[in-house]
Amino acid sequence: MAYPATIFDTALDAIGQTPLIRLDRIAQDAGLKCNLLGKLEATSPGGSVKDRVAKRMIEIAEEEGRLVPGKSVLIEPTSGNTGVGLAMAGAIKGYPVVVVLPQKMSIEKETAMRALGAEVVRTPIGLSPDSQLTHIAIAERLRRDIPGGVILDQYTNVNNPLAHELTTGPEIIDAVIASSKTSSRPSSGKVDVFVGPAGTGGTLTGVAHALKKVHNPAAVVVAVDVKGSLLALPESLNTPYAGMTYLIEGVGYDETPATLTREPGWIDTWVKTGDDDAFPALTQLLRREGLLVGGSSGSSLAGALQWLRDTEEGRAVAGREGANVVVLLPDGLRNYIAKDWFRDLATAGERTAVAQQLSDSLKAYVEEPGVAEPEKILSVNGMVV
């Protein structure tokens, strides 16, 4: 998808129109005949799919008079990416922003929000849903205490799924239709399957509405829930993993947000994935497709491959040339660089032949007369030559 040749007034105008990218190498590795396509939300100005939600919630709140420039203070409980989007919008529009963030979430998210001028409150992890120290409870207390405090609340705000029904879904549809007209590759001309991870559920709900209302009522929407979360249906899917902890951020909850549809006919099926599924899938996205995406993108891809491999309906799609399977890739790698799990992932694997050649060459080089210097070292992938 080509970016529009225009000058935007602000970064908010650049939100959306993210590319749909062929994941051909991963598809080939998995033996898929269908088209596997990734919706790359990391290219949005704030770095995630949540930019869309933040923008729409703010703009509608302004239209409705809930947000008043010079008076209102934005307060939001979030796992991070919505906070980044709100902080970006607040910087542009002049709203003070307070983000309430569980301690589990990455320092990179906090740093990005603070760099944009937001204040960040961290809350403990491992709390019961009825605890008064959850990020939602703390945000509500701050709203009561801070003059002009407004919580837009992505967990209940109808503009969360509407942002995706009006932008994310149509973008996917337009790209697939355009490709069927211009590409020499086989294409059904429609979105046959959409796969996305479940957090607040806004993306899944909104894209499902966009696909099934006007584009392709037969489209299959596959929701990916993390092991340890309680969002999947039927509830028996969650039982084997009750109480399990997970490292992936921005996905999974202990109770169902209002923005995740439970109406029959929108989300067709659920799959469960864990860290042990998501991290290998993330490695594929990094090293096979060169995409600098985050852990929830690994969850999304892992769920897609699981459904295509392990279900009768999925295998039928996997073997059909021209079928279009779209996988949401919610955010970028920027948010997780300092995480232990990412450092482990980035440095894992056997030493390559090229790395050995580098070491051999450099070792021989520093042994030549006049090359080596006291206390000066060379290293290859962190290992001293």
Side-chain angles (χ1 to χ4, degrees):
M1 179 184 296
Y3 289 97
T6 188
I7 298 175
F8 295 117
D9 290 333
T10 74
L12 295 177
D13 299 318
I15 291 172
Q17 295 302 320
T18 56
L20 201 59
I21 296 176
R22 294 186 185 275
L23 307 178
D24 285 348
R25 281 152 289 279
I26 292 175
Q28 183 177 12
D29 292 346
L32 306 180
K33 293 183 179 179
C34 62
N35 299 318
L36 190 64
L37 311 169
K39 181 64 167 166
L40 186 63
E41 291 296 294
T43 61
S44 193
S48 87
V49 70
K50 292 295 189 175
D51 290 356
R52 302 171 185 267
V53 175
K55 177 183 178 182
R56 181 169 178 85
M57 289 197 305
I58 284 178
E59 289 180 345
I60 298 302
E62 287 177 328
E63 291 176 11
E64 296 173 346
R66 291 182 61 205
L67 279 181
V68 181
K71 294 184 178 180
S72 298
V73 177
L74 277 165
I75 303 170
E76 189 71 14
T78 172
S79 59
N81 282 330
T82 302
V84 174
L86 289 172
M88 180 177 68
I92 293 167
K93 290 176 170 288
Y95 293 111
V97 176
V98 178
V99 177
V100 188
L101 189 70
Q103 194 64 45
K104 167 185 174 179
M105 306 311 167
S106 72
I107 189 63
E108 293 90 341
K109 291 178 183 176
E110 176 181 341
T111 302
M113 288 182 274
R114 293 178 63 183
L116 289 164
E119 315 294 339
V120 177
V121 177
R122 289 282 197 162
T123 60
I125 59 175
L127 300 170
S128 63
D130 59 353
S131 170
Q132 297 305 299
L133 293 177
T134 66
H135 64 310
I136 295 173
I138 293 296
E140 179 58 32
R141 174 57 186 258
L142 293 173
R143 183 194 64 78
R144 295 196 300 267
D145 285 354
I146 296 176
V150 175
I151 297 178
L152 298 179
D153 192 5
Q154 62 173 329
Y155 301 105
T156 63
N157 196 317
V158 296
N159 292 294
N160 176 350
L162 271 174
H164 302 294
E165 182 174 349
L166 298 175
T167 67
T168 317
E171 287 174 23
I172 291 169
I173 293 165
D174 290 347
V176 168
I177 291 174
S179 177
S180 70
K181 294 178 180 178
T182 61
S183 175
S184 60
R185 302 191 187 209
S187 173
S188 66
K190 60 184 182 294
V191 181
D192 297 287
V193 180
F194 175 75
V195 184
T200 66
T203 308
L204 284 163
T205 302
V207 173
H209 288 171
L211 292 178
K212 297 191 176 192
K213 284 181 180 179
V214 295
H215 171 65
N216 178 18
V220 178
V221 176
V222 180
V224 182
D225 191 28
V226 65
K227 294 175 181 177
S229 167
L230 301 178
L231 297 181
L233 292 177
E235 293 182 1
S236 58
L237 290 174
N238 304 314
T239 303
Y241 313 107
M244 182 180 291
T245 60
Y246 51 92
L247 297 173
I248 299 297
E249 297 182 22
V251 293
Y253 286 102
D254 293 332
E255 54 186 75
T256 304
T259 45
L260 173 59
T261 183
R262 291 307 202 190
E263 294 182 23
W266 296 116
I267 296 175
D268 297 283
T269 189
W270 288 80
V271 296
K272 301 285 285 191
T273 64
D275 293 339
D276 55 347
D277 307 301
F279 293 150
L282 175 57
T283 301
Q284 287 181 283
L285 288 164
L286 290 164
R287 297 185 180 177
R288 294 293 284 149
E289 302 293 350
L291 296 175
L292 295 171
V293 293
S296 58
S297 297
S299 292
S300 192
L301 175 62
L305 295 176
Q306 179 180 317
W307 182 79
L308 289 165
R309 181 189 65 236
D310 294 345
T311 69
E312 183 177 354
E313 186 177 23
R315 288 191 292 270
V317 172
R320 190 166 76 240
E321 286 192 3
N324 294 304
V325 178
V326 176
V327 181
L328 184 76
L329 307 177
D331 71 356
L333 198 56
R334 175 201 67 193
N335 291 335
Y336 312 103
I337 291 292
K339 284 288 197 178
D340 290 340
W341 64 256
F342 176 72
R343 288 199 298 270
D344 292 343
L345 180 151
T347 58
E350 296 181 2
R351 201 175 200 198
T352 66
V354 171
Q356 188 61 54
Q357 291 167 359
L358 288 173
S359 295
D360 293 344
S361 173
L362 294 173
K363 184 176 181 179
Y365 177 60
V366 297
E367 290 177 351
E368 292 178 5
V371 173
E373 298 181 26
E375 299 181 352
K376 307 297 181 184
I377 62 172
L378 296 174
S379 66
V380 175
N381 296 336
M383 298 181 64
V384 177
V385 171

PDB file of all heavy atoms in Angstrom, residues 153-169:
ATOM      1  N   ASP A 153     -11.866   5.583  28.934  1.00  0.00           N
ATOM      2  CA  ASP A 153     -12.126   4.169  29.223  1.00  0.00           C
ATOM      3  C   ASP A 153     -12.270   3.298  27.978  1.00  0.00           C
ATOM      4  O   ASP A 153     -13.375   2.990  27.535  1.00  0.00           O
ATOM      5  CB  ASP A 153     -13.360   4.012  30.108  1.00  0.00           C
ATOM      6  CG  ASP A 153     -13.487   2.594  30.658  1.00  0.00           C
ATOM      7  OD1 ASP A 153     -12.568   1.783  30.427  1.00  0.00           O
ATOM      8  OD2 ASP A 153     -14.503   2.301  31.304  1.00  0.00           O
ATOM      9  N   GLN A 154     -11.145   2.872  27.492  1.00  0.00           N
ATOM     10  CA  GLN A 154     -11.138   2.018  26.305  1.00  0.00           C
ATOM     11  C   GLN A 154     -11.864   0.699  26.525  1.00  0.00           C
ATOM     12  O   GLN A 154     -12.262   0.040  25.562  1.00  0.00           O
ATOM     13  CB  GLN A 154      -9.699   1.731  25.895  1.00  0.00           C
ATOM     14  CG  GLN A 154      -8.908   0.967  26.951  1.00  0.00           C
ATOM     15  CD  GLN A 154      -7.540   0.544  26.487  1.00  0.00           C
ATOM     16  OE1 GLN A 154      -7.332   0.284  25.306  1.00  0.00           O
ATOM     17  NE2 GLN A 154      -6.583   0.500  27.398  1.00  0.00           N
ATOM     18  N   TYR A 155     -12.052   0.280  27.776  1.00  0.00           N
ATOM     19  CA  TYR A 155     -12.675  -1.009  28.062  1.00  0.00           C
ATOM     20  C   TYR A 155     -14.192  -0.988  27.869  1.00  0.00           C
ATOM     21  O   TYR A 155     -14.808  -2.045  27.708  1.00  0.00           O
ATOM     22  CB  TYR A 155     -12.359  -1.443  29.503  1.00  0.00           C
ATOM     23  CG  TYR A 155     -10.884  -1.570  29.770  1.00  0.00           C
ATOM     24  CD1 TYR A 155     -10.207  -0.607  30.517  1.00  0.00           C
ATOM     25  CD2 TYR A 155     -10.149  -2.650  29.268  1.00  0.00           C
ATOM     26  CE1 TYR A 155      -8.842  -0.716  30.759  1.00  0.00           C
ATOM     27  CE2 TYR A 155      -8.798  -2.771  29.510  1.00  0.00           C
ATOM     28  CZ  TYR A 155      -8.152  -1.796  30.249  1.00  0.00           C
ATOM     29  OH  TYR A 155      -6.804  -1.898  30.487  1.00  0.00           O
ATOM     30  N   THR A 156     -14.793   0.201  27.904  1.00  0.00           N
ATOM     31  CA  THR A 156     -16.250   0.312  27.735  1.00  0.00           C
ATOM     32  C   THR A 156     -16.638   1.268  26.616  1.00  0.00           C
ATOM     33  O   THR A 156     -17.796   1.296  26.212  1.00  0.00           O
ATOM     34  CB  THR A 156     -16.915   0.800  29.035  1.00  0.00           C
ATOM     35  OG1 THR A 156     -16.435   2.113  29.351  1.00  0.00           O
ATOM     36  CG2 THR A 156     -16.618  -0.144  30.193  1.00  0.00           C
ATOM     37  N   ASN A 157     -15.721   2.045  26.117  1.00  0.00           N
ATOM     38  CA  ASN A 157     -16.018   3.101  25.150  1.00  0.00           C
ATOM     39  C   ASN A 157     -16.345   2.510  23.779  1.00  0.00           C
ATOM     40  O   ASN A 157     -15.526   1.812  23.183  1.00  0.00           O
ATOM     41  CB  ASN A 157     -14.827   4.053  25.056  1.00  0.00           C
ATOM     42  CG  ASN A 157     -15.168   5.359  24.388  1.00  0.00           C
ATOM     43  OD1 ASN A 157     -15.856   5.405  23.370  1.00  0.00           O
ATOM     44  ND2 ASN A 157     -14.681   6.443  24.969  1.00  0.00           N
ATOM     45  N   VAL A 158     -17.544   2.801  23.258  1.00  0.00           N
ATOM     46  CA  VAL A 158     -17.961   2.242  21.973  1.00  0.00           C
ATOM     47  C   VAL A 158     -17.065   2.707  20.826  1.00  0.00           C
ATOM     48  O   VAL A 158     -17.030   2.079  19.754  1.00  0.00           O
ATOM     49  CB  VAL A 158     -19.422   2.615  21.656  1.00  0.00           C
ATOM     50  CG1 VAL A 158     -20.358   1.992  22.660  1.00  0.00           C
ATOM     51  CG2 VAL A 158     -19.617   4.134  21.594  1.00  0.00           C
ATOM     52  N   ASN A 159     -16.340   3.798  21.045  1.00  0.00           N
ATOM     53  CA  ASN A 159     -15.459   4.301  19.991  1.00  0.00           C
ATOM     54  C   ASN A 159     -14.187   3.478  19.842  1.00  0.00           C
ATOM     55  O   ASN A 159     -13.452   3.678  18.876  1.00  0.00           O
ATOM     56  CB  ASN A 159     -15.129   5.768  20.244  1.00  0.00           C
ATOM     57  CG  ASN A 159     -16.342   6.635  20.077  1.00  0.00           C
ATOM     58  OD1 ASN A 159     -16.868   6.754  18.975  1.00  0.00           O
ATOM     59  ND2 ASN A 159     -16.813   7.227  21.170  1.00  0.00           N
ATOM     60  N   ASN A 160     -13.940   2.572  20.786  1.00  0.00           N
ATOM     61  CA  ASN A 160     -12.836   1.623  20.628  1.00  0.00           C
ATOM     62  C   ASN A 160     -13.125   0.697  19.440  1.00  0.00           C
ATOM     63  O   ASN A 160     -12.411   0.728  18.438  1.00  0.00           O
ATOM     64  CB  ASN A 160     -12.625   0.877  21.940  1.00  0.00           C
ATOM     65  CG  ASN A 160     -11.560  -0.201  21.882  1.00  0.00           C
ATOM     66  OD1 ASN A 160     -11.060  -0.566  20.824  1.00  0.00           O
ATOM     67  ND2 ASN A 160     -11.213  -0.747  23.039  1.00  0.00           N
ATOM     68  N   PRO A 161     -14.179  -0.129  19.473  1.00  0.00           N
ATOM     69  CA  PRO A 161     -14.443  -0.957  18.297  1.00  0.00           C
ATOM     70  C   PRO A 161     -14.819  -0.149  17.062  1.00  0.00           C
ATOM     71  O   PRO A 161     -14.487  -0.551  15.925  1.00  0.00           O
ATOM     72  CB  PRO A 161     -15.598  -1.857  18.750  1.00  0.00           C
ATOM     73  CG  PRO A 161     -16.183  -1.207  19.945  1.00  0.00           C
ATOM     74  CD  PRO A 161     -15.072  -0.460  20.602  1.00  0.00           C
ATOM     75  N   LEU A 162     -15.486   0.993  17.237  1.00  0.00           N
ATOM     76  CA  LEU A 162     -15.858   1.804  16.074  1.00  0.00           C
ATOM     77  C   LEU A 162     -14.634   2.304  15.312  1.00  0.00           C
ATOM     78  O   LEU A 162     -14.661   2.419  14.082  1.00  0.00           O
ATOM     79  CB  LEU A 162     -16.723   2.990  16.512  1.00  0.00           C
ATOM     80  CG  LEU A 162     -18.223   2.742  16.564  1.00  0.00           C
ATOM     81  CD1 LEU A 162     -18.944   3.953  17.142  1.00  0.00           C
ATOM     82  CD2 LEU A 162     -18.759   2.402  15.178  1.00  0.00           C
ATOM     83  N   ALA A 163     -13.548   2.603  16.034  1.00  0.00           N
ATOM     84  CA  ALA A 163     -12.324   3.034  15.361  1.00  0.00           C
ATOM     85  C   ALA A 163     -11.865   1.992  14.352  1.00  0.00           C
ATOM     86  O   ALA A 163     -11.387   2.321  13.255  1.00  0.00           O
ATOM     87  CB  ALA A 163     -11.221   3.298  16.394  1.00  0.00           C
ATOM     88  N   HIS A 164     -12.038   0.723  14.692  1.00  0.00           N
ATOM     89  CA  HIS A 164     -11.597  -0.353  13.809  1.00  0.00           C
ATOM     90  C   HIS A 164     -12.641  -0.690  12.745  1.00  0.00           C
ATOM     91  O   HIS A 164     -12.283  -1.069  11.622  1.00  0.00           O
ATOM     92  CB  HIS A 164     -11.243  -1.571  14.649  1.00  0.00           C
ATOM     93  CG  HIS A 164     -10.182  -1.292  15.658  1.00  0.00           C
ATOM     94  ND1 HIS A 164      -8.893  -0.983  15.301  1.00  0.00           N
ATOM     95  CD2 HIS A 164     -10.224  -1.220  17.017  1.00  0.00           C
ATOM     96  CE1 HIS A 164      -8.175  -0.759  16.381  1.00  0.00           C
ATOM     97  NE2 HIS A 164      -8.968  -0.889  17.433  1.00  0.00           N
ATOM     98  N   GLU A 165     -13.900  -0.543  13.099  1.00  0.00           N
ATOM     99  CA  GLU A 165     -14.950  -0.759  12.098  1.00  0.00           C
ATOM    100  C   GLU A 165     -14.853   0.283  10.984  1.00  0.00           C
ATOM    101  O   GLU A 165     -15.134  -0.018   9.812  1.00  0.00           O
ATOM    102  CB  GLU A 165     -16.326  -0.706  12.755  1.00  0.00           C
ATOM    103  CG  GLU A 165     -17.465  -0.980  11.785  1.00  0.00           C
ATOM    104  CD  GLU A 165     -18.819  -1.072  12.449  1.00  0.00           C
ATOM    105  OE1 GLU A 165     -18.885  -1.128  13.703  1.00  0.00           O
ATOM    106  OE2 GLU A 165     -19.834  -1.104  11.723  1.00  0.00           O
ATOM    107  N   LEU A 166     -14.443   1.502  11.344  1.00  0.00           N
ATOM    108  CA  LEU A 166     -14.411   2.594  10.382  1.00  0.00           C
ATOM    109  C   LEU A 166     -13.057   2.788   9.708  1.00  0.00           C
ATOM    110  O   LEU A 166     -12.983   3.481   8.688  1.00  0.00           O
ATOM    111  CB  LEU A 166     -14.823   3.898  11.082  1.00  0.00           C
ATOM    112  CG  LEU A 166     -16.246   3.909  11.647  1.00  0.00           C
ATOM    113  CD1 LEU A 166     -16.502   5.195  12.418  1.00  0.00           C
ATOM    114  CD2 LEU A 166     -17.270   3.740  10.533  1.00  0.00           C
ATOM    115  N   THR A 167     -11.985   2.214  10.279  1.00  0.00           N
ATOM    116  CA  THR A 167     -10.654   2.426   9.661  1.00  0.00           C
ATOM    117  C   THR A 167      -9.916   1.114   9.400  1.00  0.00           C
ATOM    118  O   THR A 167      -9.633   0.785   8.246  1.00  0.00           O
ATOM    119  CB  THR A 167      -9.780   3.360  10.520  1.00  0.00           C
ATOM    120  OG1 THR A 167      -9.431   2.743  11.762  1.00  0.00           O
ATOM    121  CG2 THR A 167     -10.472   4.675  10.782  1.00  0.00           C
ATOM    122  N   THR A 168      -9.595   0.361  10.437  1.00  0.00           N
ATOM    123  CA  THR A 168      -8.774  -0.844  10.259  1.00  0.00           C
ATOM    124  C   THR A 168      -9.417  -1.826   9.291  1.00  0.00           C
ATOM    125  O   THR A 168      -8.771  -2.299   8.346  1.00  0.00           O
ATOM    126  CB  THR A 168      -8.543  -1.548  11.616  1.00  0.00           C
ATOM    127  OG1 THR A 168      -8.241  -0.580  12.614  1.00  0.00           O
ATOM    128  CG2 THR A 168      -7.413  -2.553  11.501  1.00  0.00           C
ATOM    129  N   GLY A 169     -10.695  -2.141   9.524  1.00  0.00           N
ATOM    130  CA  GLY A 169     -11.390  -3.084   8.655  1.00  0.00           C
ATOM    131  C   GLY A 169     -11.456  -2.630   7.214  1.00  0.00           C
ATOM    132  O   GLY A 169     -11.058  -3.375   6.294  1.00  0.00           O
TER     133      GLY A 169
END
